[in-house]
Amino acid sequence: MDAGEGRPQPHLAALVLARGGSKGIPLKNIKLLAGVPLIGWVLRAAIDAGVFHSIWVSTDHDEIEKVAKQFGAQVHRRSPEVSQDSSTSLEAITEFLNHHHEVDIVGNIQATSPCLHPSDLIKVADLIQKEGFDSVFSVVRRHQFRWSEVKKGENKMTEPQNLNPAKRYRRQDWPGELYENGSFYFAKRHLIEKGYLQGGKMAYYEMRAEHSVDIDIDIDWPIAEQRVLSFGYFGKEPLKEVKLLVCSIDGCLTNGRIYVTEDHKEMVSYDYRDIVGIDLLKKRGIQVRLISDRDCSKTLSAMQLGCVAKVNATNKLQVLKDWQEDMGLSWKEVAYLGNEESDVECLKQAGMSGVPADACAAAQKAAGYICKSRGGCGAVREFAEHIFLLLEKVNSARKQLEEISSAGKERGRNENSRKGNKELMEKE
């Protein structure tokens, strides 16, 4: 990147602070949120924004380091001195700058803001790099009336802080107030070295309310998951409606255990919830096909699932490609649930991918969604529910596009009508 006229553009680094010792939720920063480690949501947005010269995670924990690298970030190992419960963000950022002299601007992104979108970061980078602001921070607009606090034992009444009780605003008549939401703080090096994250020529960036999510306590988690599934950023490629789910049999549909009787017959166990999940997928018009790298045809026959299956698959990816081509599907319309190293390439290729909670490390790294359920214990049903939620997102996005298109056409018709009336008046 360059700043024009031969001058190099100041080095803008994204920095996510992710300490391992969170008191509220242990290892909160890598806890799965809607199937993705929490920190993964903001790293995905930062990478796809394309405005950062480098993207870093500052951590003191090995597991967080591993997850950060899986998502494409570089890692700064922070010292014990700035990893304490009492350590401030400013101290951790200052230490980072002391080790990375090439960095001119820091975009400190909070790991606990999973609904952050690349478009937000692109606009903030422009404020710093093109409009000359020294610091920019995120805010959200709230319509909340504030009252003064009366502490226990005080002999006084509460007082309104931002309203006249005799003339209360209606929500639509009041613009509300701006509050910091903590999603990000961008600042130039010279400010940070003086001990500020906000200062100099300052600007705020107003985020959409639905994108303003901050996870502080465990009770927020289920709410945040629903918000992320509705408003989160899922990558550059638009989501498409899934039409095919391919599921590995051993370790996904079953728990991977094989029981052998005295007369050399094999037995496996499965969870009825997974069978219900397969039926629900079929009812939604999604084909379900099964795959295994061993011969389990007798087991499949006994389960009576009514699904196309391929056993003794020595090359699962080739089987998946053949099915995809036969059905005339794009990869975005294919979902894959696997759990072993033999599934890794299929997980990478499919538009939507998932693994059970007990899948091998390589499969987990390749997957877009990690189930809370183990293989053979409801993972298929859980992944089906995940697919349904994303389908709702697809349908919602399609509806929004249709509404925007309809509004655009209506504006066009009105504009043409005005032009026609004007021409008619001029002729008269």
Side-chain angles (χ1 to χ4, degrees):
M1 303 181 193
D2 61 67
E5 300 180 2
R7 290 182 290 108
Q9 193 176 60
H11 185 115
L12 172 59
L15 178 63
V16 181
L17 305 179
R19 196 167 60 90
S22 172
K23 278 191 170 182
I25 309 172
L27 287 179
K28 171 178 66 177
N29 293 309
I30 55 173
K31 181 177 177 180
L32 294 180
L33 180 73
V36 176
L38 177 60
I39 199 173
W41 290 100
V42 294
L43 289 177
R44 179 189 288 164
I47 290 168
D48 285 356
V51 295
F52 297 103
H53 296 81
S54 59
I55 297 172
W56 296 84
V57 170
S58 170
T59 187
D60 60 338
H61 198 280
D62 292 342
E63 287 301 311
I64 296 176
E65 176 176 356
K66 185 164 66 175
V67 171
K69 288 180 176 177
Q70 286 176 359
F71 276 86
Q74 299 180 71
V75 172
H76 169 76
R77 288 297 295 219
R78 60 164 57 173
S79 67
E81 288 76 20
V82 296
S83 301
Q84 308 301 314
D85 290 337
S86 58
S87 299
T88 66
S89 296
L90 182 60
E91 289 171 342
I93 295 169
T94 301
E95 182 197 68
F96 169 80
L97 283 177
N98 289 338
H99 286 82
H100 299 281
H101 301 288
E102 76 281 3
V103 175
D104 302 299
I105 308 166
V106 173
N108 174 216
I109 302 171
Q110 298 290 94
T112 53
S113 300
C115 284
L116 185 64
H117 280 239
S119 56
D120 297 320
L121 300 173
I122 292 168
K123 292 171 185 174
V124 174
D126 283 346
L127 288 172
I128 289 271
Q129 295 174 322
K130 296 181 180 179
E131 299 188 33
F133 286 96
D134 296 311
S135 59
V136 183
F137 55 93
S138 58
V139 299
V140 66
R141 189 174 298 275
R142 292 179 181 168
H143 294 78
Q144 295 175 325
F145 294 130
R146 292 182 287 106
W147 293 78
S148 62
E149 182 180 359
V150 178
K151 295 181 179 179
K152 190 175 182 180
E154 291 183 338
N155 187 24
K156 64 179 184 179
M157 295 187 298
T158 185
E159 296 289 340
Q161 299 295 295
N162 62 348
L163 78 151
N164 178 357
K167 195 175 181 181
R168 290 174 64 93
Y169 292 112
R170 296 186 306 164
R171 180 184 176 91
Q172 59 265 41
D173 297 330
W174 182 45
E177 297 180 329
L178 298 177
Y179 290 80
E180 286 187 33
N181 67 356
S183 286
F184 52 76
Y185 297 86
F186 282 56
K188 292 182 177 178
R189 174 185 278 272
H190 70 86
L191 268 182
I192 297 170
E193 290 177 340
K194 291 177 183 177
Y196 301 102
L197 280 177
Q198 295 160 298
K201 184 181 177 182
M202 286 187 291
Y204 63 77
Y205 176 82
E206 185 177 347
M207 290 179 63
R208 293 167 57 182
E210 59 267 30
H211 291 171
S212 184
V213 177
D214 185 29
I215 301 173
D216 285 324
I217 54 176
D218 206 14
I219 197 170
D220 289 344
W221 215 264
I223 299 170
E225 284 198 322
Q226 293 303 314
R227 184 76 70 84
V228 165
L229 288 168
S230 297
F231 304 110
Y233 173 70
F234 287 83
K236 289 181 178 179
E237 294 293 325
L239 292 171
K240 277 198 172 185
E241 193 165 336
V242 171
K243 295 181 180 177
L244 170 66
L245 168 63
V246 177
C247 175
S248 183
I249 298 168
D250 300 304
C252 291
L253 184 58
T254 74
N255 61 12
R257 294 179 180 176
I258 300 172
Y259 304 91
V260 182
T261 64
E262 289 183 355
D263 55 354
H264 306 292
K265 290 182 179 178
E266 291 184 359
M267 292 191 301
V268 297
S269 65
Y270 61 89
D271 194 310
Y272 181 70
R273 291 173 297 177
D274 292 330
I275 307 305
V276 173
I278 290 173
D279 287 339
L280 290 172
L281 287 163
K282 289 180 177 179
K283 288 177 181 177
R284 292 285 291 266
I286 299 171
Q287 275 204 39
V288 179
R289 297 189 178 187
L290 307 173
I291 194 167
S292 176
D293 45 19
R294 71 182 190 91
D295 186 1
C296 53
S297 51
K298 290 183 179 179
T299 301
L300 286 172
S301 177
M303 293 172 75
Q304 297 182 336
L305 297 175
C307 297
V308 173
K310 175 66 176 178
V311 299
N312 283 328
T314 55
N315 187 338
K316 289 183 176 180
L317 181 59
Q318 188 57 55
V319 174
L320 185 63
K321 286 180 177 179
D322 290 343
W323 284 344
Q324 176 244 345
E325 290 173 2
D326 289 345
M327 293 180 66
L329 304 178
S330 70
W331 283 113
K332 283 292 177 181
E333 296 170 304
V334 177
Y336 192 92
L337 184 66
N339 69 304
E340 271 299 342
E341 290 193 10
S342 60
D343 298 306
V344 167
E345 294 306 317
C346 296
L347 291 166
K348 290 179 179 178
Q349 190 71 64
M352 193 181 298
S353 59
V355 294
D358 53 348
C360 73
Q364 289 195 16
K365 182 178 178 180
Y369 181 86
I370 302 174
C371 298
K372 296 174 184 175
S373 306
R374 298 166 67 89
C377 299
V380 177
R381 173 63 185 270
E382 181 183 338
F383 192 52
E385 295 290 348
H386 178 65
I387 291 172
F388 297 149
L389 285 168
L390 291 186
L391 289 181
E392 289 178 14
K393 185 178 177 71
V394 172
N395 293 331
S396 175
R398 185 182 295 142
K399 185 177 179 181
Q400 288 177 7
L401 287 173
E402 289 173 353
E403 289 174 353
I404 292 169
S405 176
S406 176
K409 290 177 181 177
E410 183 64 27
R411 284 195 299 271
R413 284 194 292 268
N414 291 339
E415 184 64 26
N416 290 335
S417 177
R418 283 194 296 271
K419 286 180 180 178
N421 291 337
K422 183 179 178 181
E423 290 172 358
L424 184 61
M425 291 172 66
E426 288 174 349
K427 287 179 180 178
E428 291 175 351

Coordinates of all heavy atoms in Angstrom, one line a residue, residues 56-99:
W56 N -2.6 -8.8 14.5 CA -2.0 -9.5 15.6 C -3.0 -9.8 16.7 O -4.0 -9.2 16.9 CB -0.9 -8.5 16.2 CG 0.2 -8.2 15.3 CD1 0.2 -7.2 14.3 CD2 1.5 -8.8 15.3 NE1 1.5 -7.2 13.7 CE2 2.3 -8.1 14.3 CE3 2.1 -9.8 16.1 CZ2 3.6 -8.5 14.0 CZ3 3.4 -10.2 15.8 CH2 4.1 -9.5 14.8
V57 N -2.6 -10.8 17.5 CA -3.3 -11.2 18.7 C -2.2 -11.1 19.8 O -1.2 -11.8 19.7 CB -4.0 -12.6 18.7 CG1 -4.4 -13.0 20.1 CG2 -5.1 -12.6 17.7
S58 N -2.5 -10.4 20.8 CA -1.6 -10.3 22.0 C -2.1 -11.2 23.1 O -3.2 -11.0 23.6 CB -1.5 -8.8 22.5 OG -0.8 -8.8 23.7
T59 N -1.4 -12.2 23.4 CA -1.9 -13.2 24.4 C -0.8 -13.8 25.2 O 0.4 -13.7 24.9 CB -2.7 -14.3 23.7 OG1 -3.3 -15.2 24.7 CG2 -1.7 -15.2 22.8
D60 N -1.2 -14.4 26.4 CA -0.2 -15.1 27.2 C -0.5 -16.5 27.3 O 0.0 -17.2 28.2 CB -0.3 -14.4 28.6 CG -1.7 -14.6 29.3 OD1 -2.7 -14.7 28.5 OD2 -1.8 -14.5 30.5
H61 N -1.4 -17.0 26.4 CA -1.9 -18.4 26.6 C -1.7 -19.2 25.3 O -1.9 -18.7 24.2 CB -3.4 -18.4 26.9 CG -3.9 -19.6 27.5 ND1 -4.2 -20.8 26.7 CD2 -4.2 -20.0 28.7 CE1 -4.7 -21.7 27.5 NE2 -4.7 -21.3 28.7
D62 N -1.2 -20.5 25.5 CA -0.8 -21.3 24.3 C -2.0 -21.6 23.4 O -1.9 -21.6 22.2 CB -0.2 -22.6 24.8 CG 1.2 -22.4 25.4 OD1 1.8 -21.3 25.2 OD2 1.7 -23.3 26.1
E63 N -3.2 -22.0 24.0 CA -4.4 -22.3 23.3 C -4.9 -21.2 22.4 O -5.3 -21.3 21.3 CB -5.5 -22.9 24.2 CG -5.2 -24.3 24.7 CD -5.0 -25.3 23.6 OE1 -5.8 -25.4 22.7 OE2 -4.0 -26.1 23.7
I64 N -4.9 -20.0 23.0 CA -5.3 -18.8 22.3 C -4.4 -18.5 21.1 O -4.8 -18.2 20.0 CB -5.4 -17.6 23.2 CG1 -6.5 -17.8 24.3 CG2 -5.7 -16.3 22.4 CD1 -6.6 -16.7 25.3
E65 N -3.1 -18.7 21.4 CA -2.1 -18.5 20.3 C -2.4 -19.5 19.1 O -2.3 -19.1 18.0 CB -0.7 -18.8 20.8 CG 0.4 -18.7 19.7 CD 1.8 -18.8 20.2 OE1 2.0 -18.9 21.5 OE2 2.7 -18.9 19.4
K66 N -2.7 -20.7 19.5 CA -3.0 -21.7 18.4 C -4.2 -21.3 17.6 O -4.2 -21.4 16.4 CB -3.2 -23.1 19.1 CG -3.3 -24.2 18.1 CD -3.1 -25.6 18.7 CE -4.2 -25.9 19.8 NZ -4.1 -27.2 20.3
V67 N -5.2 -20.9 18.3 CA -6.5 -20.5 17.5 C -6.2 -19.3 16.7 O -6.7 -19.2 15.5 CB -7.6 -20.3 18.5 CG1 -8.8 -19.7 17.8 CG2 -8.0 -21.6 19.2
A68 N -5.5 -18.3 17.2 CA -5.2 -17.1 16.5 C -4.4 -17.4 15.2 O -4.8 -16.8 14.1 CB -4.4 -16.1 17.4
K69 N -3.5 -18.3 15.2 CA -2.7 -18.6 14.1 C -3.6 -19.4 13.1 O -3.4 -19.3 11.8 CB -1.5 -19.5 14.5 CG -0.4 -18.6 15.1 CD 0.8 -19.5 15.5 CE 1.9 -18.6 16.1 NZ 3.1 -19.4 16.6
Q70 N -4.5 -20.2 13.6 CA -5.4 -20.9 12.7 C -6.2 -20.0 11.8 O -6.6 -20.3 10.7 CB -6.3 -21.8 13.5 CG -5.7 -23.1 14.0 CD -6.6 -23.9 14.9 OE1 -7.8 -23.5 15.1 NE2 -6.1 -25.0 15.4
F71 N -6.6 -18.8 12.4 CA -7.4 -17.8 11.7 C -6.5 -16.8 10.9 O -7.0 -15.9 10.3 CB -8.3 -17.1 12.7 CG -9.6 -17.8 12.9 CD1 -9.6 -18.8 14.0 CD2 -10.7 -17.6 12.2 CE1 -10.8 -19.5 14.2 CE2 -11.9 -18.3 12.5 CZ -11.9 -19.3 13.5
G72 N -5.2 -17.0 10.9 CA -4.3 -16.2 10.0 C -3.7 -15.0 10.7 O -3.1 -14.2 10.0
A73 N -3.8 -14.9 12.0 CA -3.2 -13.8 12.7 C -1.8 -14.1 13.2 O -1.4 -15.3 13.3 CB -4.0 -13.4 13.9
Q74 N -1.0 -13.1 13.3 CA 0.3 -13.2 14.0 C 0.1 -13.1 15.5 O -0.9 -12.5 15.9 CB 1.3 -12.1 13.5 CG 1.6 -12.2 12.0 CD 2.5 -11.1 11.5 OE1 3.7 -11.2 11.8 NE2 2.0 -10.1 10.8
V75 N 1.1 -13.6 16.2 CA 0.9 -13.6 17.7 C 2.0 -12.9 18.4 O 3.2 -13.1 18.1 CB 0.8 -15.0 18.2 CG1 0.8 -15.0 19.8 CG2 -0.5 -15.7 17.7
H76 N 1.7 -12.0 19.3 CA 2.6 -11.3 20.2 C 2.4 -11.9 21.6 O 1.3 -11.8 22.1 CB 2.4 -9.8 20.2 CG 3.1 -9.1 21.3 ND1 4.5 -8.8 21.2 CD2 2.7 -8.6 22.5 CE1 4.9 -8.2 22.3 NE2 3.8 -8.1 23.2
R77 N 3.5 -12.5 22.1 CA 3.4 -13.1 23.4 C 3.6 -12.0 24.4 O 4.7 -11.5 24.6 CB 4.4 -14.2 23.6 CG 4.1 -15.5 22.8 CD 2.8 -16.2 23.3 NE 2.9 -16.7 24.6 CZ 2.3 -17.8 25.0 NH1 1.7 -18.6 24.1 NH2 2.4 -18.2 26.2
R78 N 2.5 -11.7 25.1 CA 2.6 -10.6 26.1 C 3.3 -11.0 27.4 O 3.3 -12.2 27.7 CB 1.3 -10.0 26.4 CG 0.3 -11.0 27.0 CD -0.9 -10.4 27.6 NE -1.6 -9.5 26.8 CZ -2.8 -8.9 27.1 NH1 -3.3 -9.2 28.3 NH2 -3.4 -8.1 26.3
S79 N 3.9 -10.1 28.0 CA 4.7 -10.5 29.3 C 3.8 -10.6 30.4 O 2.6 -10.1 30.4 CB 5.7 -9.3 29.6 OG 5.0 -8.2 29.9
P80 N 4.2 -11.3 31.5 CA 3.4 -11.5 32.7 C 3.0 -10.1 33.3 O 2.0 -10.0 34.0 CB 4.3 -12.3 33.6 CG 5.3 -13.0 32.7 CD 5.5 -12.1 31.6
E81 N 3.9 -9.1 33.1 CA 3.7 -7.8 33.8 C 2.4 -7.2 33.2 O 1.7 -6.4 33.9 CB 4.8 -6.9 33.5 CG 6.1 -7.2 34.3 CD 6.8 -8.4 33.7 OE1 6.6 -8.8 32.5 OE2 7.6 -9.1 34.5
V82 N 2.0 -7.4 32.0 CA 0.8 -6.8 31.4 C -0.3 -7.9 31.2 O -1.2 -7.7 30.4 CB 1.1 -6.1 30.1 CG1 2.1 -4.9 30.3 CG2 1.7 -7.0 29.0
S83 N -0.2 -9.0 31.9 CA -1.2 -10.1 31.8 C -1.9 -10.3 33.1 O -2.6 -11.3 33.3 CB -0.5 -11.4 31.4 OG 0.2 -11.2 30.1
Q84 N -1.8 -9.3 34.0 CA -2.5 -9.4 35.3 C -4.0 -9.0 35.2 O -4.4 -8.3 34.3 CB -1.8 -8.6 36.3 CG -0.3 -8.8 36.4 CD 0.1 -10.2 36.8 OE1 -0.5 -10.8 37.7 NE2 1.0 -10.8 36.0
D85 N -4.7 -9.4 36.2 CA -6.1 -8.9 36.3 C -6.2 -7.4 36.3 O -7.2 -6.8 35.8 CB -6.8 -9.5 37.5 CG -7.0 -11.0 37.4 OD1 -7.1 -11.5 36.3 OD2 -7.2 -11.7 38.5
S86 N -5.2 -6.8 36.9 CA -5.2 -5.3 37.0 C -4.6 -4.6 35.8 O -4.6 -3.4 35.7 CB -4.5 -4.9 38.3 OG -3.1 -5.4 38.2
S87 N -4.1 -5.3 34.9 CA -3.4 -4.7 33.7 C -4.5 -4.0 32.8 O -5.6 -4.5 32.6 CB -2.7 -5.8 32.9 OG -1.7 -6.4 33.6
T88 N -4.1 -2.9 32.2 CA -5.0 -2.2 31.4 C -4.7 -2.5 29.9 O -3.6 -2.9 29.6 CB -4.8 -0.7 31.6 OG1 -3.5 -0.3 31.2 CG2 -5.0 -0.3 33.1
S89 N -5.7 -2.2 29.1 CA -5.5 -2.4 27.6 C -4.3 -1.5 27.1 O -3.5 -1.9 26.3 CB -6.8 -2.0 26.9 OG -7.8 -2.9 27.2
L90 N -4.3 -0.2 27.7 CA -3.2 0.7 27.2 C -1.8 0.1 27.5 O -0.9 0.3 26.7 CB -3.4 2.0 27.9 CG -2.4 3.1 27.6 CD1 -2.5 3.4 26.1 CD2 -2.7 4.4 28.4
E91 N -1.7 -0.5 28.7 CA -0.4 -1.1 29.0 C 0.0 -2.2 28.0 O 1.1 -2.3 27.6 CB -0.4 -1.7 30.4 CG -0.5 -0.6 31.5 CD -0.7 -1.2 32.9 OE1 -1.2 -2.3 33.0 OE2 -0.5 -0.5 33.9
A92 N -1.0 -3.1 27.7 CA -0.7 -4.2 26.7 C -0.4 -3.6 25.3 O 0.5 -4.1 24.6 CB -1.9 -5.1 26.7
I93 N -1.1 -2.6 24.9 CA -0.9 -2.0 23.6 C 0.5 -1.3 23.6 O 1.2 -1.4 22.6 CB -2.0 -1.0 23.3 CG1 -3.3 -1.7 23.1 CG2 -1.7 -0.2 22.0 CD1 -4.5 -0.8 23.0
T94 N 0.9 -0.6 24.6 CA 2.2 0.1 24.7 C 3.3 -1.0 24.6 O 4.3 -0.7 23.9 CB 2.3 0.9 26.0 OG1 1.2 1.9 26.0 CG2 3.6 1.6 26.1
E95 N 3.1 -2.1 25.3 CA 4.2 -3.1 25.2 C 4.3 -3.7 23.8 O 5.4 -3.9 23.3 CB 3.8 -4.3 26.2 CG 4.9 -5.4 26.2 CD 4.4 -6.7 26.7 OE1 3.5 -7.3 26.1 OE2 4.9 -7.1 27.8
F96 N 3.2 -3.8 23.2 CA 3.2 -4.3 21.8 C 4.0 -3.3 20.9 O 4.8 -3.8 20.1 CB 1.7 -4.5 21.3 CG 1.6 -4.7 19.8 CD1 1.8 -6.0 19.2 CD2 1.3 -3.6 18.9 CE1 1.8 -6.2 17.9 CE2 1.2 -3.8 17.6 CZ 1.4 -5.1 17.0
L97 N 3.7 -2.1 21.0 CA 4.4 -1.0 20.2 C 5.9 -1.0 20.5 O 6.7 -0.8 19.6 CB 3.8 0.3 20.5 CG 2.4 0.6 19.8 CD1 1.9 2.0 20.2 CD2 2.6 0.5 18.3
N98 N 6.3 -1.3 21.7 CA 7.7 -1.3 22.1 C 8.4 -2.4 21.4 O 9.6 -2.3 21.2 CB 7.8 -1.4 23.6 CG 7.4 -0.2 24.4 OD1 7.4 0.9 23.8 ND2 7.1 -0.3 25.6
H99 N 7.7 -3.5 21.0 CA 8.3 -4.6 20.3 C 8.1 -4.5 18.8 O 8.7 -5.3 18.1 CB 7.7 -5.9 20.8 CG 8.2 -6.3 22.2 ND1 7.7 -5.8 23.3 CD2 9.2 -7.1 22.6 CE1 8.3 -6.3 24.4 NE2 9.3 -7.1 24.0

